[in-house]
Each structure stands twice: as C-alpha cells, then as structure tokens.
Amino acid sequence: MKHLNGSNRPLRPVVVVTGASSGIGRGVARALAARGADVVLAARTERTLTAVARECERRGGRALVVPTDVGDEAAVQALVRRAVERFGRVDAWVNAAAVWSYGLFEDTPGPVFRQIVDTTLFGQVHAARAVLPQFRSQGRGVLVNVGSLYGRLSSPYVAPYATAKWGLLGFSEVLRQELRDAPGIAVCTVLPGAVDTPIYRHAANYTGHRIRPLPPVTSPERVVAAVVRAVDRPRREIVVGRTQRVGVWVDRLAPGLYDRLVGPVVNTFAVQGALVPPHDGTVFVPDPLPGTVDDGWRRHDHRLVGGALTATAGLAALAIVVRALGRRR
C-alpha cells in the first residue's frame, strides 16, 4: 500500500494493529514495520506494547503505543483519534485481538462467554464503527479482520470463540455489501486454522485437562504474510492452512459424519491427559509476562502430526463414501 504526498514521494503507510502484544498481531506489527510502515499498537498491557514498539522501531518503522481494551467502544474511538493526531490518517486497520476458552458450554461461566464475544467479535465491530468514518473522509482504507476457520465449522469445547468467529464472518460480509458505494474501502477476512501462537496457553480452561492446538499447526509467519498481502492487495477472503480446510469440506459433504467424528478427533489430539484445575486464563486479565509471536507447538508436533493427518484423510474418504451412497439412494 503506497500513497504519494505533494512532492510525489511515497508516504509511509499508517496501520493500526489490535492484539499487538503477542501472536499474529505482534507478528503483523513487526512485518509491517520492516516494510517502513508507521504502526499504531493496541492491546491491554502498555509494558508489553512498549517492547513491541522497540522491535518495530529496530526494523525501521515508527510506532505509537496506545493501551486499549477493544471491548470498550469509547477506548477504540480514542485509539482512532490518537492515530490520526500522530500520523494524520489511517491507511489500514488490522483486527487481531482475541481471547479464547476451552470447555463444554455448560461448564463455561457466563461472564467468560460474554467476555470472549465482547473481545473477539465486538472488539472488531467497535473498530469498524470507529475507523470507517475516517476511511470515508480519506476516500480509501483497508480493514482486515483476522477471523478463523471456526467461522466456517465448529468443534466441542469452543462455544464462545466459535460464536464470535461465525459472527465476525457474517459481519464482514455485510460490511462489504454496504460499502459498495465506497470503492476505495476494502474489507478483508483472513481465516487461519490452528496457529502456533500463545492463545492456547492463555486460554481459559474448564476441561480438567491440558489443551493444545489441533495438529498440524500452522506457523504464525504464514498468517502474518496473508495479513500483509491483504493490506497490500485487498482480497475478500484468505484461508490459511490446507489441512484444516479439509474439515470444512467434510462438514459440507457429510455434516452428520463430521458431527459424530469431530469430538473423538479433538479429544485425541487437542485435549491431553495432564490434569489442570479450572481457570479463566487471560480472558479478563492480560498475561503479565512478555508476549511472543509463536509458542513452540510446531517444534514438538512430529508424532501427533502423522496421526492427525491420517485422521483427516480418513474423514475425507468417509465423507466421499457417504456422499456417494447418498446420491445412489
């Protein structure tokens, strides 16, 4: 994304990144800074954001730290104002803030469910409400919503997160339809599968057991690259993670089969044997420790990946058989 000033010199892109303290958001901020962008960093913890700002500045970008709880609409409005006051405009906005829980719906406390939806869905709604008037005044802008393949399918234990991501996918589609009168404004949705980020370690957990991402786990760098591509060359939707896309395909071909088998697959590969007492993770309070982009899951996945790939291939084959038998009847 390049714009020219009055001297026909390229302007540094100005990009707001929410969820910038760790995971995909942190990776996106660093990647954009390395390309010379001015980045506005938003998350709940100022100390962690300050560390990210130093990383971005070492890579050649300028950084503005704005501690923000995206579930607070007034705070998100203030975030836009701070960005415009400092840099004069907002060229792109990346919505990467999210919190997560693992547990049966009936075991998940109501306040936790609400907080996850407030952050993961309404945080992005608040961002759109805040930045779209700025985009309209400029005549251009790119809004990138980091969704999930949980916006296309579901599994046990993730009711609030799946609710938020399904809602985000529909919200993004409505925005695209309503912004047809503003061809300079783009709304992009990036849909990754399981990604090697700290969100699983930070997740609230009511399963009674240790949890991990469902293998094979995608590197955060692949998702970061997809987000940066969306900022540069907006596309309606970008899916990241080939293996996880098989689950979407199976769900469409044989939804009954998917419903029967997804639980055993998740219990085998994502819910581990170690006992863990129930806890709220970082749903309400951010992690006081320094954030990271990845969390090391891929370095220990070799044994599980083979089993997960075999299970995925089996699901796909069964779906084809079920679909073929259904057509013969």
Side-chain angles (χ1 to χ4, degrees):
M1 172 183 288
K2 292 182 180 179
H3 305 298
L4 301 178
N5 61 17
S7 302
N8 291 327
R9 294 178 180 176
L11 294 173
R12 300 166 66 100
V14 179
V15 186
V16 177
V17 182
T18 71
S21 60
S22 67
I24 293 168
R26 188 172 190 148
V28 167
R30 298 195 312 194
L32 291 169
R35 294 157 51 91
D38 295 330
V39 290
V40 182
L41 308 173
R44 292 177 291 180
T45 307
E46 183 171 7
R47 182 166 61 89
T48 304
L49 288 177
T50 300
V52 180
R54 288 196 293 266
E55 294 175 351
C56 292
E57 289 165 355
R58 284 197 298 268
R59 287 167 169 78
R62 295 183 297 183
L64 172 65
V65 168
V66 185
T68 307
D69 181 348
V70 296
D72 180 343
E73 185 170 1
V76 179
Q77 293 283 348
L79 172 60
V80 176
R81 291 195 297 271
R82 288 285 306 280
V84 175
E85 287 169 2
R86 172 69 180 274
F87 297 116
R89 66 189 194 285
V90 176
D91 296 309
W93 185 296
V94 177
N95 276 320
V99 288
W100 175 290
S101 72
Y102 233 69
L104 296 173
F105 167 71
E106 293 171 278
D107 295 335
T108 303
V112 171
F113 193 111
R114 179 176 293 276
Q115 183 66 27
I116 289 170
V117 174
D118 280 348
T119 300
T120 309
L121 173 58
F122 278 97
Q124 307 206 31
V125 171
H126 295 159
R129 193 179 299 282
V131 78
L132 286 180
Q134 179 65 31
F135 284 171
R136 285 192 179 274
S137 71
Q138 300 168 176
R140 66 179 187 273
V142 181
L143 177 65
V144 182
N145 290 328
V146 179
S148 168
L149 282 180
Y150 273 128
R152 295 278 188 205
L153 46 75
S154 60
S155 77
Y157 309 122
V158 295
Y161 191 79
T163 298
K165 293 301 187 180
W166 280 66
L168 178 61
L169 196 60
F171 175 65
S172 300
E173 292 180 357
V174 169
L175 286 184
R176 281 190 286 269
Q177 294 160 3
E178 294 183 351
L179 288 166
R180 292 181 66 84
D181 67 326
I185 302 175
V187 177
C188 311
T189 313
V190 177
L191 303 177
V195 185
D196 184 1
T197 72
I199 194 170
Y200 301 92
R201 176 163 49 87
H202 293 164
N205 187 351
Y206 310 104
T207 66
H209 298 276
R210 186 166 61 91
I211 62 168
R212 53 149 296 136
L214 191 65
V217 183
T218 302
S219 73
E221 290 77 16
R222 288 185 60 193
V223 185
V224 167
V227 172
V228 172
R229 285 198 307 272
V231 170
D232 277 347
R233 297 181 298 278
R235 287 175 49 191
R236 180 178 182 276
E237 188 174 288
I238 302 173
V239 177
V240 185
R242 292 189 183 92
T243 303
Q244 287 87 355
R245 275 187 283 190
V246 173
V248 178
W249 183 66
V250 172
D251 186 41
R252 288 176 179 172
L253 283 179
L257 176 66
Y258 179 87
D259 286 348
R260 287 194 297 273
L261 296 182
V262 66
V265 168
V266 170
N267 285 332
T268 299
F269 296 106
V271 180
Q272 304 293 305
L275 298 179
V276 175
H279 63 83
D280 296 339
T282 63
V283 171
F284 299 106
V285 179
D287 189 349
L289 298 176
T292 59
V293 174
D294 71 79
D295 209 28
W297 294 108
R298 299 177 78 242
R299 293 193 290 272
H300 308 289
D301 258 2
H302 303 295
R303 180 180 60 83
L304 287 173
V305 166
L309 289 174
T310 301
T312 301
L315 277 174
L318 278 171
I320 293 170
V321 171
V322 170
R323 183 67 176 266
L325 290 174
R327 286 176 175 173
R328 290 180 182 178
R329 290 177 182 174

